[in-house]
Amino acid sequence: MKIVVAGTGYVGLVTGVALAHIGHNVTCVDVDESKIEKMKKGISPIYEDGLEKLMKDNKNRLTYTTDCKNAYKDADVIFIGVGTPERADGSANLDYVYSVVSEISESLQKDCVVVIKSTVPIGTNDEIEKYLKDNVKKGLKVYVASNPEFLAQGTAIKDTFYASRIIVGTEDKKADEIMRKVYEPLTKPPYNVPYLSMNRKSAEMVKYASNDFLALKVSYINEIANFCEKVGANIEDVTLGMGYDPRIGSKFLKPGIGYGGSCFPKDTKALHWLSKELDTELKTIKACIEVNKIQKIKLYEKLKNDFKSLKGLNVAVLGLTFKPGTDDMREAPSIDNVLLLLDSGANVKAYDPIGVENFKRVIKNKIVDDGITGNINYFNSIDDAIKDTDAVMIMTEWPEIVNYDIKKFEKLMKTPMVYDGRNCYKLEEISKTKIEYKSIGR
Ligand code: UDX
């Protein structure tokens, strides 16, 4: 079976490499030549634990190319894993998906299953199948299957091999049979991943309903955490108590400064947009989005409340990525907070173990767009970043930050004021120091 994967971002590349690992010959296609050149040399264009090793281990079954026409023409299965970024109105931008679909329709020379892994609005798979049927060479059979992806960044490899489930939406028995064959090795020991067939619209909906539910869970616990602060409860004890109920579960109950990343922000907005279009607004999703927007700047507000004026203040920002284990900066709360700090006249001293280069790119554009002037410097160690600062803001729970010797806050900072957006430290430990400490919900 010849498998092609279009798009070599998180979803595309991890899928391609995983399929090669379970024995398929896979061609990874991307329009970006520099990315393809890197991958040919065994270098992953994204930071993801274990990915480069898997690329090396399976190099005999992996091909990388920009020549999409040649790759698509005799493929048995083509996975589409390109981005579906949000438009200004919150809807999903399908330009990249349709550009691949159009190339496929022009190139295909044999029957093929086109698998949509990208997150797309409900009904898109049906539209794509219609487009392909109308445009491929006469006589060819082309099927479309919806196969949403549930991998999380930082654990993408494990999430693929030991996935909670494989969802395949098709309208055709033949396409389902082919998809079962593709995934057969993952449904057997040692992986034992459950395989679920359904219709295409339901498969598309599983993806949105799952991501939005998790985002809602985070927004819910963030709101409850804020409420705990008001009433004098401790969110850690509250979530511990809640998590024992198997109907609730203990996962995704960690309060913080809001969700970010490539999925939750975009998928909540896209489903909300679609619900409004269909005149049946999803009010829980609307609330989830609103709560997250407010939560993202909670830490800045705490700081502002304590200091009143931030002009000339030296503030260290520890952690820039939206979560640990990734260099991804998409929708990271650090961006909003750093912009507010700079706009208030504070000097920012930033530290992140992996994400500094990506952050510099994002913040440079934002500063220009928003007309903000400000002073921001980057440091390779936490010690250097916090030296002589008036306050520290923790944005990401990197192990380096969680395991940091808290006594150093007292030793190195001008005034040991620590604003922790990820509840990295035990209150008991902090109470043994002179640190003025504010965290979330405690
Ligand atoms: C998510 C989904 O988990 C994955 O299934 C989907 O395919 C893509 O979107 P990802 O964005 O990589 O994956 O990260 P995830 O670990 O789910 O975290 C998302 C955001 O929620 C992060 O900003 C994280 O900090 C936040 N979060 C998560 C919390 O604030 N509290 C939690 O308890 C869990």
Side-chain angles (χ1 to χ4, degrees), residues 149-153 207 252-254 259-260 263 322-323:
E149 186 52 64
F150 302 100
L151 58 84
Q153 290 173 216
K207 172 69 184 183
F252 267 75
L253 284 183
K254 209 167 171 295
Y259 59 76
C263 289
F322 83 94
K323 69 171 194 178

Side-chain angles (χ1 to χ4, degrees), residues 11-81:
V11 172
L13 185 57
V14 173
T15 301
V17 173
L19 290 171
H21 191 71
I22 57 172
H24 298 293
N25 288 315
V26 182
T27 305
C28 297
V29 174
D30 204 290
V31 289
D32 185 336
E33 257 177 54
S34 63
K35 266 172 120 185
I36 293 292
E37 284 314 310
K38 265 188 169 178
M39 289 185 284
K40 279 183 179 165
K41 290 183 193 136
I43 303 167
S44 165
I46 47 169
Y47 175 80
E48 184 62 44
D49 197 24
L51 184 57
E52 255 179 28
K53 183 177 181 307
L54 270 190
M55 286 168 74
K56 287 196 179 100
D57 291 351
N58 298 287
K59 65 173 192 286
N60 295 341
R61 282 189 291 271
L62 280 162
T63 312
Y64 305 100
T65 182
T66 51
D67 184 357
C68 58
K69 288 208 159 87
N70 215 18
Y72 298 150
K73 72 172 191 229
D74 55 350
D76 297 291
V77 182
I78 302 172
F79 284 84
I80 301 183

Side-chain angles (χ1 to χ4, degrees), residues 69-314:
K69 288 208 159 87
N70 215 18
Y72 298 150
K73 72 172 191 229
D74 55 350
D76 297 291
V77 182
I78 302 172
F79 284 84
I80 301 183
V82 294
T84 53
E86 76 183 61
R87 292 187 199 274
D89 63 359
S91 65
N93 179 345
L94 299 179
D95 291 354
Y96 299 126
V97 173
Y98 272 104
S99 135
V100 175
V101 169
S102 150
E103 297 273 16
I104 293 173
S105 73
E106 287 165 24
S107 320
L108 219 54
Q109 300 294 333
K110 64 182 277 200
D111 295 355
C112 178
V113 183
V114 174
V115 186
I116 313 298
K117 265 214 172 284
S118 306
T119 304
V120 292
I122 325 304
T124 307
N125 276 261
D126 289 359
E127 278 172 26
I128 291 174
E129 186 168 89
K130 186 176 175 330
Y131 178 90
L132 285 170
K133 283 194 165 143
D134 290 346
N135 290 282
V136 291
K137 208 166 106 182
K138 280 215 158 37
L140 289 187
K141 280 208 179 82
V142 56
Y143 309 101
V144 170
S146 165
N147 174 216
E149 186 52 64
F150 302 100
L151 58 84
Q153 290 173 216
T155 51
I157 304 293
K158 189 180 120 270
D159 292 347
T160 305
F161 289 119
Y162 296 94
S164 46
R165 70 288 203 198
I166 293 165
I167 302 284
V168 175
T170 56
E171 309 297 316
D172 194 284
K173 244 189 164 162
K174 176 88 183 147
D176 191 54
E177 269 167 32
I178 295 171
M179 290 303 289
R180 277 182 192 274
K181 220 176 238 158
V182 169
Y183 279 122
E184 199 179 4
L186 287 184
T187 61
K188 288 184 173 162
Y191 308 114
N192 295 319
V193 182
Y195 178 106
L196 286 112
S197 302
M198 57 189 72
N199 72 27
R200 278 195 296 243
K201 283 187 176 157
S202 304
E204 290 170 329
M205 196 62 213
V206 170
K207 172 69 184 183
Y208 277 111
S210 300
N211 268 5
D212 289 16
F213 180 77
L214 292 172
L216 190 55
K217 204 171 175 189
V218 173
S219 272
Y220 176 76
I221 214 61
N222 281 337
E223 226 184 0
I224 294 294
N226 300 339
F227 199 68
C228 282
E229 287 177 20
K230 287 263 181 258
V231 298
N234 181 329
I235 190 68
E236 268 162 12
D237 292 333
V238 174
T239 51
L240 183 70
M242 289 167 70
Y244 269 85
D245 185 332
R247 293 170 301 175
I248 298 172
S250 58
K251 290 190 179 138
F252 267 75
L253 284 183
K254 209 167 171 295
I257 39 170
Y259 59 76
S262 62
C263 289
F264 289 178
K266 140 179 112 61
D267 295 348
T268 43
K269 286 182 206 154
L271 191 62
H272 180 245
W273 179 87
L274 186 63
S275 73
K276 275 178 66 177
E277 280 292 294
L278 299 175
D279 215 9
T280 173
E281 185 178 29
L282 291 168
K283 295 193 180 64
T284 45
I285 308 301
K286 184 183 182 199
C288 165
I289 297 166
E290 275 173 14
V291 168
N292 198 56
K293 197 171 169 208
I294 297 165
Q295 195 69 17
K296 271 183 148 183
I297 58 167
K298 268 270 139 58
L299 212 57
Y300 169 81
E301 277 171 357
K302 283 179 197 247
L303 179 87
K304 186 94 206 279
N305 201 34
D306 288 346
F307 282 89
K308 309 296 181 242
S309 167
L310 303 183
K311 209 166 172 52
L313 225 61
N314 290 318

Side-chain angles (χ1 to χ4, degrees), residues 358-375:
N358 281 350
F359 184 81
K360 278 184 187 168
R361 261 194 299 276
V362 176
I363 208 77
K364 207 168 119 200
N365 293 340
K366 295 256 182 205
I367 286 176
V368 173
D369 289 350
D370 298 1
I372 293 171
T373 52
N375 196 2

